[in-house]
Amino acid sequence: MGIQERKEREKEHRREEILNAAQKVFFEKGLQASTMDEIAEAAELSKGTLYLYFKSKEDLYLAVMTRGMELLQDLFDKAISEADSPLDQIRKVGQAYRTFFNEHRNFFRMFNFFQHPQFHKQVSEDMMAICQSRNQEIWDKVIGIIKRGIDQGFLRNDLDPAECAIMLWSNSYGLMVRMDTQLEYFRENFGVDLEKLIDKSNELLLQSMMTEGVREKMALSNTLNNEQRS
Amino acid sequence: MGIQERKEREKEHRREEILNAAQKVFFEKGLQASTMDEIAEAAELSKGTLYLYFKSKEDLYLAVMTRGMELLQDLFDKAISEADSPLDQIRKVGQAYRTFFNEHRNFFRMFNFFQHPQFHKQVSEDMMAICQSRNQEIWDKVIGIIKRGIDQGFLRNDLDPAECAIMLWSNSYGLMVRMDTQLEYFRENFGVDLEKLIDKSNELLLQSMMTEGVREKMALSNTLNNEQRS
DNA sequence: TAAGTAAATGACTCGTGGTCAGTAGATACG
DNA sequence: CGTATCTACTGACCACGAGTCATTTACTTA
């Protein structure tokens, strides 16, 4: 009998609907200012029902966040599959991260919020484990492409892939946080375009990771490109 | 008559006592989990009194945070005055930031929390302005030493001081956030020592900002140092 | 000593996260 | 078809914490 299966589907569907409502409310107001009543209202359910599907407001928040992690993973996969060399993969994944930041700012902020140790205490272990494993998947993916870059001679073989991945990621991340809250401030006070700066500093780091030969070839083709343009 | 003055002093003193109590509680539990009753208890005052001195829990939180900003400024001033060249100043200020992170982690987390746009809405404009201006002071200081580094020929003169400052700062910051929540994770899963990585990646960036001549001189003296050691 | 003033109090309100006894509607059974 | 069971759902309710304000206390001044 398919009744069991149908019920499972319906339950999953209901869960998704709650997530949709929660996402909408959280995106508008953030964790603190959103209320469970409001989310229940948006989901056209009673508050009690929310607690049948999620252990707490924080857990619900993280469940929404995992959607963002999936999204980021998809963007990365797409970037990796579209690139033609390990170096190109690294650049395109970096670009994908910046796209994610620009077009899914609310998810970026959720990731950011998730970093706070104090927040972790309010979250169930189950949900924490889910986030951990998704996180691990993303890091493995990023480290993987760096490793290929080293193995195929594009990046210096005295470097550690994980270290490189963390450096590049954190470098972008640090600037994005700045951008998110102080983009105007830096433009007005110091005439700095943070958007371009992310590109620049990421490229700076990447180049210092390249092997001598690759860097020279890069420089040469850049020169050619510039000459063609002018 | 000095009564007026004495009252002012007493009021200031009371304010400091409240800040002491708040700092203790906030450090232990974070913003969310700390209650105003608890802080009042720690300050040996009633809750109502707290609201005579601070507009809201969030304002009180930020008032504690400004102490951290003062502390960071002092560390920077000390680092700048103790260094003997602009390049040394940049390195020592970077080191001071890392010291701040390690020894005043709770303040670092407060700064971090402050970054959230959602949090800003819950704060009074007065307090926001105070934080802004302190922030500006710190950035001016950091940009100032980079500018001296460029003017005196240590750093490439095609670079913008503000851009360099932001790059270096954000680079450290990004890694510190990672360190704060995932130090063990990265050590266990990828064998990466984030502490050392901050040094490494900061030095990497700094070197790519140096003029050719200075970099070569640096490389030479490093070689000599290494030879002396072995 | 009494009036006046500033500081401090704590009982109160109101909003919100989370609970749980009860309801309704579907399903299984006689 | 009627009844028992089960399951998702409900919303009144509780606990607790931020913020308020009428009242009290302590000090100053005349």
Side-chain angles (χ1 to χ4, degrees):
Chain A
M1 58 171 81
I3 290 177
Q4 200 62 27
E5 282 79 1
R6 197 202 69 218
K7 289 221 167 168
E8 298 257 310
R9 272 201 316 278
E10 278 173 0
K11 211 168 169 181
E12 184 53 37
H13 182 242
R14 183 52 50 92
R15 199 186 124 96
E16 288 298 318
E17 277 182 339
I18 293 174
L19 282 173
N20 288 339
Q23 181 169 324
K24 190 165 158 260
V25 176
F26 282 141
F27 277 8
E28 268 170 31
K29 311 203 173 183
L31 174 63
Q32 167 79 28
S34 301
T35 71
M36 289 301 266
D37 282 306
E38 205 173 357
I39 293 168
E41 168 104 36
E44 294 175 304
L45 288 168
S46 73
K47 185 162 63 166
T49 307
L50 301 190
Y51 284 93
L52 296 175
Y53 289 83
F54 299 95
K55 285 204 183 83
S56 68
K57 187 177 162 183
E58 281 73 22
D59 260 36
L60 179 51
Y61 190 78
L62 282 202
V64 173
M65 191 185 80
T66 57
R67 285 179 158 191
M69 294 174 95
E70 270 177 62
L71 186 59
L72 182 63
Q73 256 183 324
D74 291 346
L75 285 176
F76 278 8
D77 285 337
K78 191 153 160 280
I80 291 169
S81 70
E82 282 175 355
D84 42 26
S85 77
L87 208 56
D88 196 33
Q89 282 184 335
I90 296 171
R91 285 216 181 82
K92 283 217 164 72
V93 165
Q95 186 53 53
Y97 189 29
R98 294 192 283 278
T99 302
F100 178 81
F101 170 71
N102 282 318
E103 292 176 15
H104 305 282
R105 185 68 59 95
N106 285 309
F107 278 129
F108 176 84
R109 286 179 182 162
M110 281 183 144
F111 291 4
N112 209 356
F113 200 87
F114 177 63
Q115 297 300 325
H116 289 279
Q118 294 296 348
F119 177 67
H120 291 183
K121 291 175 193 163
Q122 301 170 345
V123 173
S124 76
E125 284 180 21
D126 295 354
M127 191 50 82
M128 203 63 192
I130 291 171
C131 291
Q132 269 298 349
S133 86
R134 281 224 175 277
N135 190 46
Q136 171 98 26
E137 280 169 39
I138 293 175
W139 278 109
D140 284 343
K141 202 160 278 177
V142 174
I143 292 171
I145 62 170
I146 305 272
K147 195 161 180 331
R148 257 171 282 154
I150 294 174
D151 291 345
Q152 298 184 26
F154 292 93
L155 301 187
R156 288 158 46 192
N157 61 12
D158 61 321
L159 296 174
D160 178 77
E163 283 193 359
C164 291
I166 298 167
M167 275 197 263
L168 288 168
W169 181 292
S170 297
N171 185 58
S172 292
Y173 169 79
L175 283 161
M176 286 171 183
V177 170
R178 208 59 47 195
M179 241 180 107
D180 192 34
T181 47
Q182 299 179 296
L183 183 65
E184 289 311 314
Y185 173 76
F186 279 107
R187 184 177 3 254
E188 281 160 25
N189 288 273
F190 306 114
V192 172
D193 181 345
L194 288 176
E195 177 95 46
K196 281 186 191 143
L197 195 57
I198 292 185
D199 259 318
K200 212 187 274 188
S201 95
N202 230 5
E203 189 62 31
L204 211 61
L205 265 181
L206 188 56
Q207 283 198 14
S208 66
M209 293 173 185
M210 289 180 197
T211 51
E212 206 75 21
V214 172
R215 190 162 53 233
E216 274 162 19
K217 207 156 68 186
M218 287 277 321
L220 191 65
S221 76
N222 274 341
T223 314
L224 288 174
N225 283 339
N226 288 340
E227 276 168 9
Q228 278 171 358
R229 268 183 220 144
S230 56
Chain B
M1 60 172 81
I3 289 175
Q4 199 64 27
E5 284 79 1
R6 196 203 69 217
K7 290 224 167 166
E8 298 258 308
R9 272 203 313 280
E10 279 174 359
K11 213 168 167 179
E12 185 51 38
H13 182 242
R14 182 54 49 91
R15 200 186 124 97
E16 289 298 319
E17 278 183 337
I18 294 174
L19 282 173
N20 289 339
Q23 181 169 323
K24 191 166 158 259
V25 176
F26 282 141
F27 277 9
E28 268 170 31
K29 311 203 173 181
L31 174 64
Q32 168 79 28
S34 300
T35 71
M36 288 302 264
D37 282 305
E38 206 173 355
I39 293 168
E41 168 102 37
E44 294 174 303
L45 288 168
S46 74
K47 183 162 65 165
T49 307
L50 302 190
Y51 285 93
L52 296 176
Y53 289 84
F54 300 95
K55 286 205 182 81
S56 68
K57 186 177 160 182
E58 281 73 21
D59 260 36
L60 178 52
Y61 189 77
L62 283 202
V64 172
M65 192 185 78
T66 57
R67 286 179 158 193
M69 295 173 95
E70 269 176 64
L71 187 58
L72 182 62
Q73 257 184 324
D74 290 346
L75 285 176
F76 279 7
D77 286 336
K78 191 153 161 280
I80 292 170
S81 69
E82 283 176 356
D84 42 26
S85 77
L87 209 56
D88 197 33
Q89 281 185 334
I90 296 171
R91 286 216 181 82
K92 283 219 165 73
V93 166
Q95 186 53 54
Y97 189 29
R98 294 192 283 279
T99 301
F100 178 81
F101 170 70
N102 282 317
E103 292 177 12
H104 306 281
R105 186 67 61 93
N106 286 308
F107 278 130
F108 177 85
R109 286 179 183 162
M110 281 183 145
F111 292 4
N112 208 357
F113 200 88
F114 177 64
Q115 297 299 325
H116 291 278
Q118 294 296 347
F119 177 66
H120 290 184
K121 291 176 194 162
Q122 300 171 345
V123 173
S124 76
E125 284 180 18
D126 295 353
M127 191 50 82
M128 203 63 193
I130 291 172
C131 291
Q132 269 298 349
S133 86
R134 281 223 175 275
N135 190 46
Q136 172 97 26
E137 280 169 39
I138 293 175
W139 278 109
D140 285 342
K141 202 159 279 176
V142 174
I143 293 171
I145 61 171
I146 304 273
K147 194 160 181 325
R148 256 171 283 154
I150 295 174
D151 291 345
Q152 296 184 27
F154 293 93
L155 301 186
R156 289 158 43 191
N157 61 11
D158 61 320
L159 296 174
D160 178 76
E163 284 193 359
C164 291
I166 299 167
M167 275 196 262
L168 287 168
W169 181 293
S170 298
N171 186 59
S172 292
Y173 169 79
L175 283 161
M176 285 171 183
V177 170
R178 207 60 46 196
M179 240 181 108
D180 192 32
T181 47
Q182 298 180 295
L183 182 66
E184 289 311 314
Y185 173 76
F186 279 107
R187 182 175 8 251
E188 281 160 25
N189 287 274
F190 306 115
V192 173
D193 181 345
L194 288 175
E195 176 94 47
K196 281 187 192 143
L197 195 56
I198 292 186
D199 259 318
K200 212 187 273 188
S201 94
N202 231 6
E203 190 60 32
L204 212 61
L205 266 181
L206 188 55
Q207 283 199 13
S208 67
M209 293 174 184
M210 289 180 196
T211 51
E212 207 74 21
V214 172
R215 189 160 55 234
E216 275 162 20
K217 209 157 64 186
M218 287 278 318
L220 191 66
S221 76
N222 274 340
T223 314
L224 287 176
N225 283 339
N226 289 341
E227 276 169 8
Q228 278 170 354
R229 269 183 219 144
S230 58

